[in-house]
Amino acid sequence: MALFGGRTTQDMKNRLRITKGRPLADFLPTITIKAKDFANEITNFNVKQRELRTETGITSEHVKNNQDVRKLLVNRGIVPEALPPAEDVKKVERRLKSEQKKLPKYSKPLESHEEEIE
């Protein structure tokens, strides 16, 4: 919620028209995924550095970091909840597999240099 201006995961799934059962992350733009990752890394660092042990302390740290990352993005004109969805990661995976199957048809075999090695 802190990164998306108070919107829940379900709010964002509804906004991006994500079908039930699919994760929000499969449709987030790269910058949003990186922002979430950055906030998580700050949290991990500070949990160790400050020896945070309670769920309340860790949660508070995590929310603050997400809010701070959001402020940075918004200050740079990037509003996470207003970004269009990225291409469905499952479609990208299917296209990649299809393209990988086609690769052998387009590549030439490597020349053998066994004589040079001996």
Side-chain angles (χ1 to χ4, degrees), residues 15-16 30-31 33 35 39 45-46 52 55 58 60 64 70 72 74 80 85-86 89 97 102-103 105 113:
R15 185 198 165 292
L16 299 174
T30 303
I31 193 156
I33 292 170
F45 180 85
N46 286 339
L52 299 175
E55 183 177 346
I58 294 168
S60 176
K64 182 185 180 320
R70 176 186 170 74
L72 172 67
V74 171
V89 74
K97 283 183 183 179
K102 294 176 186 175
L103 281 176
K105 294 178 187 176
H113 296 290

Side-chain angles (χ1 to χ4, degrees), residues 13-90:
K13 287 176 78 171
N14 293 342
R15 185 198 165 292
L16 299 174
R17 295 185 179 98
I18 298 172
T19 58
K20 192 173 187 167
R22 294 293 307 277
L24 175 61
D26 282 0
F27 298 87
L28 289 178
T30 303
I31 193 156
T32 309
I33 292 170
K34 296 293 186 180
K36 289 172 67 66
D37 187 43
F38 184 49
N40 287 338
E41 286 302 317
I42 295 169
T43 300
N44 291 339
F45 180 85
N46 286 339
V47 163
K48 291 175 188 169
Q49 195 77 4
R50 298 176 185 163
E51 298 181 1
L52 299 175
R53 300 280 183 244
T54 66
E55 183 177 346
T56 305
I58 294 168
T59 300
S60 176
E61 177 67 24
H62 184 65
V63 169
K64 182 185 180 320
N65 293 327
N66 274 276
Q67 289 170 336
D68 289 346
V69 169
R70 176 186 170 74
K71 284 178 195 171
L72 172 67
L73 291 172
V74 171
N75 286 341
R76 302 296 298 166
I78 302 166
V79 181
E81 66 274 12
L83 296 173
E87 187 176 7
D88 179 354
V89 74
K90 296 293 182 190

